[in-house]
Amino acid sequence: MKTLIMKIGRNKAYPYVSVVLVTIAFLATNPLTNFEWRYLLSFIGAICGLICVILLAKGKNSGNIFGMLAGFGEMSGNLLGRNVGAALPSIYYFVTHIFGLVTWKKHLNAEATLKPRQLTERHFGIAIIFIIVASFVNMYLTGILGVANDPYQLMLNNFIFALGVTAQFLMIARFSFNWYLWIIMNVLVISLNIYTKNPIIATQYAIYLFNAVYGLLEWHDTEKKKVLSVQ
């Protein structure tokens, strides 16, 4: 299975297939007859987001540029769909991608690929605290903004917000552990957008889910090569 995932992720056709799948999901909303801004903005964000995560999984710094573009589209699409928890992290993502674009330049190998770090017990503890605090922050902001979420939607938004901001921090800080959190978060976002009937973002995050698994394997592979080179 690992070999198959790595083979698909490294295949040159992979990005194009991903874009086609999201485009089909966009066309399924009948944009010419039932036009909605949230679907168009979601589509733009999805395309940029796909390019972003594929490049980041490969450890390419250029992924941060597309991450900034994706942040605007995803934030707008989710806010229009009343998914506050899934929308707010996009603002945070935008800012952190700027930081990542600058700092990653200092940690690239000879192939211009990022050199990942292993998570320590201390950083893991900080990440858990971050998740708990972020969850309460989302509940507070949802109440302040007066967004009408049913209990199921609110619960998913809380976890999505908390996992998203924590995973993004770990990614920009170059910890390969970030991909485990992205895997969990992607499953939740898919469930939420199926529930709120946004097939574009649901399809986008289904691809993100695969890409998170691929990113985890790719970053671990880079870590092993680093260890072997030291030995």
Side-chain angles (χ1 to χ4, degrees):
M1 181 62 71
K2 175 183 176 181
T3 303
L4 178 61
I5 293 174
M6 294 286 279
K7 186 175 182 179
I8 294 174
R10 291 175 174 176
N11 193 290
K12 293 181 179 180
Y14 170 53
Y16 300 102
V17 173
S18 299
V19 170
V20 169
L21 290 174
V22 172
T23 301
I24 291 173
F26 174 62
L27 295 175
T29 67
N30 296 316
L32 298 179
T33 56
N34 300 309
F35 178 80
E36 288 191 37
W37 276 107
R38 75 176 178 124
Y39 290 140
L40 178 60
L41 292 170
S42 295
F43 177 63
I44 295 173
I47 296 299
C48 293
L50 286 171
I51 299 173
C52 165
V53 298
I54 290 171
L55 289 173
L56 292 179
K58 296 178 182 296
K60 301 299 182 181
N61 197 19
S62 55
N64 284 301
I65 297 175
F66 287 95
M68 288 183 272
L69 298 174
F72 174 77
E74 291 186 23
M75 175 192 66
S76 303
N78 274 304
L79 282 178
L80 290 174
R82 297 184 296 115
N83 294 326
V84 177
L88 291 178
S90 297
I91 302 173
Y92 166 75
Y93 296 161
F94 182 90
V95 176
T96 54
H97 278 303
I98 296 176
F99 181 76
L101 186 64
V102 176
T103 59
W104 278 26
K105 290 181 180 180
K106 304 174 184 178
H107 303 283
L108 301 176
N109 58 28
E111 290 77 33
T113 300
L114 184 71
K115 293 182 285 187
R117 302 162 63 191
Q118 291 185 335
L119 196 71
T120 64
E121 291 183 4
R122 174 174 170 270
H123 288 115
F124 180 76
I126 294 174
I128 295 298
I129 294 173
F130 209 73
I131 290 174
I132 295 172
V133 173
S135 181
F136 281 104
V137 168
N138 179 68
M139 290 178 64
Y140 174 76
L141 291 176
T142 302
I144 290 294
L145 295 174
V147 178
N149 280 175
D150 60 42
Y152 177 75
Q153 195 173 359
L154 178 62
M155 178 185 68
L156 285 181
N157 272 304
N158 282 340
F159 281 114
I160 288 169
F161 180 85
L163 290 171
V165 296
T166 306
Q168 181 73 2
F169 168 76
L170 293 175
M171 172 181 282
I172 297 303
R174 301 184 292 113
F175 290 111
S176 56
F177 184 81
N178 80 87
W179 295 111
Y180 289 107
L181 298 186
W182 285 126
I183 290 171
I184 298 171
M185 195 210 77
N186 289 332
V187 172
L188 296 180
V189 175
I190 293 168
S191 301
L192 178 63
N193 280 280
I194 290 175
Y195 184 69
T196 56
K197 299 178 181 179
N198 191 334
I200 301 170
I201 295 184
T203 303
Q204 174 191 2
Y205 276 82
I207 299 171
Y208 279 5
L209 177 58
F210 169 83
N211 196 77
V213 177
Y214 165 64
L216 177 65
L217 297 176
E218 193 72 73
W219 282 38
H220 279 175
D221 188 59
T222 303
E223 287 179 345
K224 291 179 181 178
K225 290 179 180 177
K226 181 181 177 181
V227 172
L228 291 174
S229 65
V230 173
Q231 294 175 343

